[in-house]
């Protein structure tokens, strides 16, 4: 009902502007009510635009979550829970694939809070597993401790650089095969209290 009132006021405001411009230089002015109608009409148009943009963006993200979920299923068709700890790491390749799939939503400034609530939780919802278990867990070689508020792109860049340097020093061909225990990916975000013993 509220949106209908705003729409009606906006339409009246547009009508007033049309009448005013039709009056020419004859000195016609908008009344306070007409001015409010114009302002509310503009605000309503902006609000509708933002809501449609958000709905479209959410729809595209949902579609990409579905596509990526199918890709994960091809690589790991029977996700199973495994003991928490060293056997629940992910490879740098798995992290890079994840980032590449959702980079347009994550950008350069969104952090792990965004990644967890908007991407990891929806991806793992049907199985209620950790991302590592869903993607195919690896045995850890490296443990990552990090601040969730850091931009995720920076985190990915840092882990990638680490994997490259280690691969170069150890003469390993595929740097992306390096495995990392990363709390967001390795802990089951559906059972965080159990996972961390809180």
């Amino acid at each position: 009902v509220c949106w209908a009132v705003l729409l009606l006021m906006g339409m009246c405001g547009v009508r007033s502007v049309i009448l005013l411009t039709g009056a020419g230089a004859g000195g016609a002015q908008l009344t306070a009510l007409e001015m409010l109608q114009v302002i509310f009409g503009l605000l309503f148009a902006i609000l509708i635009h933002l809501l449609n943009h958000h709905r479209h963006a959410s729809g595209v993200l949902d579609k990409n979550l579905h596509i990526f979920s199918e890709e994960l299923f091809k690589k790991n068709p029977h996700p199973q829970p495994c003991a928490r700890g060293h056997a629940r790491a992910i490879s740098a390749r798995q992290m890079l694939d994840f980032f590449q799939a959702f980079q347009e939503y994550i950008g350069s400034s969104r952090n792990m809070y965004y990644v967890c609530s908007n991407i990891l939780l929806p991806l793992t919802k049907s199985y209620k597993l950790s991302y590592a278990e869903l993607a195919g867990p690896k045995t850890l070689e490296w443990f990552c401790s990090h601040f969730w508020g850091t931009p995720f792109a920076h985190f990915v860049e840092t882990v990638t650089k680490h994997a490259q340097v280690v691969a170069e020093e150890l003469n390993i061909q595929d740097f992306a095969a390096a495995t990392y225990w990363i709390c967001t990916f390795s802990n089951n975000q559906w059972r965080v209290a159990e996972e961390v013993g809180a």
Side-chain angles (χ1 to χ4, degrees):
V1 174
C2 182
W3 67 267
V5 171
L6 289 174
L7 178 61
L8 181 61
M9 291 176 77
M11 290 170 50
C12 290
V14 170
R15 181 186 152 278
S16 298
V17 169
I18 291 170
L19 290 175
L20 178 64
T21 55
Q29 294 184 355
L30 292 177
T31 65
L33 177 61
E34 291 168 335
M35 186 58 76
L36 280 174
Q37 290 171 338
V38 169
I39 291 168
F40 277 119
L42 289 172
L43 290 175
F44 183 72
I46 291 168
L47 176 67
I48 293 299
H49 171 75
L50 291 174
L51 288 173
N52 282 336
H53 177 72
H54 175 71
R55 185 171 39 223
H56 174 71
S58 295
V60 173
L61 176 58
D62 288 342
K63 181 179 177 184
N64 286 350
L65 285 165
H66 180 72
I67 291 168
F68 190 72
S69 182
E70 287 178 346
E71 291 300 315
L72 288 176
F73 189 72
K74 286 177 189 173
K75 294 175 185 174
N76 187 25
H78 305 289
Q80 296 293 318
C82 65
R84 62 185 179 164
H86 73 281
R88 217 193 277 170
I90 63 169
S91 68
R93 168 81 53 233
Q94 288 172 310
M95 182 191 62
L96 288 167
D97 289 347
F98 174 89
F99 182 59
Q100 194 169 44
F102 299 104
Q103 188 171 8
E104 70 180 285
Y105 307 101
I106 299 168
S108 62
S109 61
R110 289 196 163 139
N111 58 31
M112 198 66 88
Y113 294 106
Y114 174 86
V115 168
C116 185
S117 59
N118 293 282
I119 302 173
L120 282 179
L121 285 173
L123 274 175
T124 59
K125 184 177 182 178
S126 59
Y127 287 96
K128 301 281 195 278
L129 296 172
S130 69
Y131 179 81
E133 293 165 317
L134 187 67
K138 311 291 183 214
T139 301
L140 92 100
E141 295 172 319
W142 304 96
F143 174 85
C144 284
S145 181
H146 65 99
F147 169 52
W148 276 35
T150 301
F152 186 68
H154 178 73
F155 175 77
V156 170
E157 182 182 331
T158 304
V159 172
T160 301
K161 185 66 176 172
H162 176 266
Q164 289 169 338
V165 168
V166 168
E168 187 177 320
E169 288 178 2
L170 299 177
N171 200 25
I172 298 170
Q173 295 297 317
D174 184 14
F175 78 89
T179 60
Y180 296 85
W181 191 96
I182 303 165
C183 63
T184 319
F185 294 97
S186 300
N187 281 328
N188 184 335
Q189 296 300 321
W190 296 97
R191 298 158 138 176
V192 175
E194 279 179 50
E195 296 281 295
V196 298

